Amino acid sequence: MSELSFEQLPLSASIHRALADKGYTTPSPIQAKAIPVLLRGQDLLACAQTGTGKTAAFALPVLHGIAERPRRTFRRGVRHLVLTPTRELAGQVAESFAVYGKYVQFRSGMVYGGVSEKPQIKMLFQGLDVLVACPGRLLDLMDQGHVDLSQVETFILDEADRMLDMGFIRDIRKIEKQLPKQRHTLLFSATMAPAITELAQAMLHQPEEIRIAPQGTTAEKVDQSVCFIDQKAKQHLVMEMMHRRLDQRSGELSLIFTRTKHGAKNLARKLNAQGLRADSIHGNKSQSAREKTLESYRRGEIDILVATDVAARGIDVKNITLVVNFDLPMEADAYVHRIGRTARAGASGHAVSFCSGDEVALLRQVEKLISQSVPVDSGHDYHDQAAMDLHLSNRPVKKPPQGGGNRPGGNRQGGPRRGGGRRPGRGGRNVQGSSRGGRRRS
Ligand code: AMP
């Protein structure tokens, strides 16, 4: 947190009041840097992960503008447009606007796919001060003439890297074409991949650049480790870890990432079968089912959530103290997003990654991105020395094909149990230092 207090920021009194209600006194670093830039009306290119307070960084100046210059919304018109990659994130952004803007008079709404268009069309008809939208559905509604973006004052791209990963680039470009040239544009991204820089060049005008964490930097407070393990033994290790956590740390939540929807569903079922309170969220679940699951997770009615990357995007749940990468992500960026789900708002957290021999290439990509080696935890019953040796060697390894190779939950019958060794987290981890004795990073 910075030295600045919110009182020193020239935001409208109604916003200060809402912040005081929330108990926020000090702007987070991204807020301290971005808010003055945005109040000046300058475009912004911000490299910041979720958990840094980036939502308020853009929501507060937008709400300030609405409070200071109230305007009647016009039919189908939108004054401030926020694009988000997923419905979950759209919901959280809209909720943040509602919380920070509780004393500001404004109309806001959301559009996202997977639900009926009708209520969204009706809501758009009266015009909105703030629209939070997922690109695909917004474009559909634009094509049908239900939304007029010709008077947008602020255009915000939230989690732009994820939108590009999800293939929204063409939709974003089409949407942007409908916006006035004279506008205020903000782009937030967890990483600054070349595609993001290119997008920023096309859409932003002389932006101020802010980097809250250098590219790929993982949340500082996350204690990371990697367990080398055969794919088939992963379920055994995760079960043991979850049982142990339940014994030792009640009330703390665990988030497990699998690569496929099927893997998420399957693993949650297996955890349930062992008497653990787990559920899953993935793309095959309806929006209302996902929201229901997230709500029980937030309330602590379930301790373990198994999720795919897309479904987990934007989850903002405070009590997550452990993230398990049951499968390493195909794209290294996702690793940073995943582990950012723990250690939020100043808390500390752990991230444990399972790496099978087939995933060594993925681990190398992660380490390259975060510019550090992830400490190895070999003190568990299933340690796979061969996978570790492969990782430490300079031998070239192939990246598994998307959706193939390491099928999560691949061990339908359960894998071999190696006896004897110490278990992770019991009596201290056998973590091998992060220095790799001259291993050349791939
Ligand atoms: P975000 O990165 O926008 O997802 O925010 C991460 C979390 O930090 C959310 O739960 C916010 O409610 C919280 N938060 C945002 N700004 C502040 C602040 N200045 N002080 C304390 N908590 C904050």
Side-chain angles (χ1 to χ4, degrees):
M1 294 280 168
S2 62
E3 296 298 308
L4 197 75
S5 83
F6 272 118
E7 289 303 319
Q8 290 167 271
L9 290 172
L11 293 165
S12 95
S14 48
I15 295 171
H16 282 302
R17 215 171 128 205
L19 290 171
D21 286 359
K22 255 316 241 180
Y24 295 175
T25 50
T26 318
S28 69
I30 179 92
Q31 293 161 3
K33 285 187 180 172
I35 292 171
V37 173
L38 300 181
L39 290 176
R40 286 203 295 274
Q42 199 180 343
D43 281 4
L44 176 73
L45 173 59
C47 184
Q49 289 171 234
T50 11
T52 52
K54 68 181 170 59
T55 317
F58 63 77
L60 300 180
V62 165
L63 287 163
H64 172 79
I66 295 171
E68 299 293 301
R69 294 181 313 270
R71 269 221 230 147
R72 282 195 50 197
T73 53
F74 50 98
R75 255 185 205 183
R76 302 195 177 95
V78 172
R79 283 182 72 186
H80 307 279
L81 173 63
V82 186
L83 292 187
T84 65
T86 63
R87 317 181 259 208
E88 281 80 9
L89 184 62
Q92 281 168 22
V93 170
E95 170 66 17
S96 295
F97 270 98
V99 169
Y100 305 134
K102 72 192 231 200
Y103 301 114
V104 179
Q105 280 240 332
F106 72 113
R107 279 179 52 80
S108 70
M110 283 195 277
V111 305
Y112 48 80
V115 293
S116 160
E117 289 182 347
K118 273 195 190 146
Q120 297 180 357
I121 293 169
K122 202 168 154 213
M123 165 199 79
L124 286 164
F125 184 75
Q126 297 175 54
L128 297 171
D129 293 293
V130 178
L131 174 63
V132 189
C134 297
R137 171 58 65 91
L138 176 62
L139 203 58
D140 286 348
L141 296 172
M142 283 164 64
D143 288 347
Q144 297 172 52
H146 294 302
V147 51
D148 172 3
L149 300 182
S150 65
Q151 294 187 49
V152 164
E153 295 169 34
T154 318
F155 179 41
I156 300 165
L157 292 143
D158 193 14
E159 306 204 351
D161 51 335
R162 186 55 44 170
M163 287 200 275
L164 297 197
D165 287 353
M166 290 168 70
F168 284 135
I169 182 70
R170 288 182 57 187
D171 290 355
I172 293 171
R173 286 188 187 272
K174 282 190 196 159
I175 292 164
E176 196 254 354
K177 283 218 172 76
Q178 305 293 316
L179 303 175
K181 291 265 169 300
Q182 280 286 337
R183 60 162 198 259
H184 194 189
T185 310
L186 287 45
L187 189 154
F188 289 81
S189 175
T191 58
M192 278 299 148
I196 295 291
T197 320
E198 213 177 284
L199 186 70
Q201 272 166 2
M203 298 198 178
L204 303 177
H205 176 66
Q206 299 185 339
E208 175 86 20
E209 288 187 32
I210 294 177
R211 266 173 197 262
I212 282 312
Q215 182 180 359
T217 294
T218 45
E220 267 173 25
K221 297 212 168 176
V222 182
D223 173 23
Q224 303 165 65
S225 62
V226 58
C227 296
F228 289 99
I229 183 165
D230 190 274
Q231 185 68 27
K232 291 182 184 140
K234 285 182 175 181
Q235 275 186 16
H236 297 291
L237 183 56
V238 88
M239 297 292 172
E240 286 181 13
M241 286 170 70
M242 293 303 124
H243 276 299
R244 197 162 47 249
R245 267 174 72 77
L246 198 67
D247 295 346
Q248 295 172 350
R249 299 164 175 257
S250 60
E252 294 191 20
L253 304 178
S254 307
L255 177 60
I256 304 176
F257 285 96
T258 62
R259 199 174 302 136
T260 66
K261 302 169 199 174
H262 174 75
K265 199 166 110 190
N266 210 20
L267 184 56
R269 273 208 203 126
K270 296 240 158 85
L271 289 160
N272 287 154
Q274 296 242 342
L276 292 156
R277 298 191 309 170
D279 203 345
S280 60
I281 53 167
H282 48 75
N284 284 354
K285 263 198 171 177
S286 71
Q287 174 67 4
S288 58
R290 282 201 231 176
E291 274 165 14
K292 222 170 125 200
T293 304
L294 269 179
E295 201 40 48
S296 16
Y297 188 48
R298 236 178 239 122
R299 288 212 204 106
E301 289 159 11
I302 53 169
D303 307 296
I304 307 163
L305 186 66
V306 191
T308 54
D309 286 304
V310 169
R313 191 70 184 158
I315 294 178
D316 181 15
V317 178
K318 290 223 167 64
N319 232 0
I320 303 172
T321 52
L322 175 69
V323 168
V324 179
N325 293 312
F326 188 88
D327 300 297
L328 278 167
M330 293 301 291
E331 304 300 333
D333 280 6
Y335 177 86
V336 179
H337 291 296
R338 287 177 176 191
I339 74 166
R341 305 280 146 211
T342 184
R344 289 171 85 79
S348 65
H350 296 262
V352 179
S353 300
F354 292 176
C355 180
S356 68
D358 288 346
E359 292 173 298
V360 162
L362 304 178
L363 179 61
R364 288 186 185 172
Q365 278 180 2
V366 165
E367 294 188 333
K368 195 172 164 202
L369 177 75
I370 63 175
S371 309
Q372 70 184 80
S373 299
V374 180
V376 177
D377 178 357
S378 58
H380 57 91
D381 293 356
Y382 310 98
H383 176 63
D384 182 347
Q385 188 64 36
M388 179 165 150
D389 289 345
L390 181 61
H391 181 56
L392 296 177
S393 76
N394 287 326
R395 269 182 286 149
V397 279
K398 266 207 259 163
K399 193 171 162 177
Q402 188 97 41
N406 300 282
R407 288 195 64 80
N411 177 31
R412 271 149 208 105
Q413 299 308 317
R417 208 192 137 94
R418 296 171 195 211
R422 278 192 294 135
R423 295 168 183 195
R426 184 179 284 173
R429 287 184 326 191
N430 183 16
V431 172
Q432 308 189 352
S434 50
S435 147
R436 284 276 160 88
R439 182 174 78 82
R440 192 160 44 85
R441 286 209 184 93
S442 52

